[in-house]
Amino acid sequence: FRTGSSKIEPHYLNQLNQIAQVLLRNPDASITLSGFADRRGERAANQSLSQKRVNNVQQFLVKRGVKQDQVQANAFGDTRPLQTDESLENNFFDRRVVLQLSLDVTANLATR
């Protein structure tokens, strides 16, 4: 994400479409979204921004037919940076939404 933005960058749309397809084909699958912000700015604003980011990814998936109950969303603001030192590059990587896919492997896979 760009600084201060919750807009999904165009180069990620194809990947998100592919994730939506996996979820559509696997109703027993779910995804957990975790939204983050870099450490610049006020903590409350960063929390709100990370919530907007994760909400936008969730809405994107739901608009493509993914069931709402397949998607869990959490926002962590600037509380979980990837690196301890703050730099331009580290800030870039802290502005993110992480996706964790879970699949029930005990379900009947032959029907897919």
Side-chain angles (χ1 to χ4, degrees):
F1 291 91
R2 294 183 187 266
T3 301
S5 173
S6 60
K7 181 183 177 210
I8 300 170
E9 293 294 315
H11 58 273
Y12 291 113
L13 298 179
N14 187 45
Q15 292 171 351
L16 289 173
N17 279 320
Q18 290 175 353
I19 290 166
Q21 287 301 313
V22 168
L23 291 167
L24 286 168
R25 290 186 191 132
N26 298 280
D28 54 321
S30 63
I31 194 164
T32 300
L33 307 174
S34 299
F36 303 90
D38 63 34
R39 291 170 274 185
R40 294 184 289 173
E42 294 181 15
R43 183 151 286 194
N46 288 338
Q47 180 64 36
S48 175
L49 181 58
S50 69
Q51 186 68 56
K52 289 176 187 174
R53 288 173 175 165
V54 80
N55 287 348
N56 283 348
V57 174
Q58 182 178 27
Q59 290 171 5
F60 180 92
L61 295 171
V62 170
K63 284 180 182 176
R64 272 136 191 93
V66 175
K67 294 179 202 158
Q68 185 72 38
D69 64 351
Q70 284 182 278
V71 185
Q72 179 183 353
N74 304 298
F76 298 98
D78 58 13
T79 63
R80 297 185 183 181
L82 292 173
Q83 301 292 324
T84 56
D85 58 319
E86 189 173 357
S87 68
L88 184 63
E89 183 176 354
N90 290 344
N91 283 337
F92 174 81
F93 289 108
D94 284 340
R95 298 186 302 266
R96 67 198 189 278
V97 171
V98 176
L99 295 80
Q100 182 179 2
L101 182 66
S102 299
L103 180 62
D104 179 4
V105 293
T106 61
N108 187 357
L109 298 177
T111 60
R112 296 190 194 125

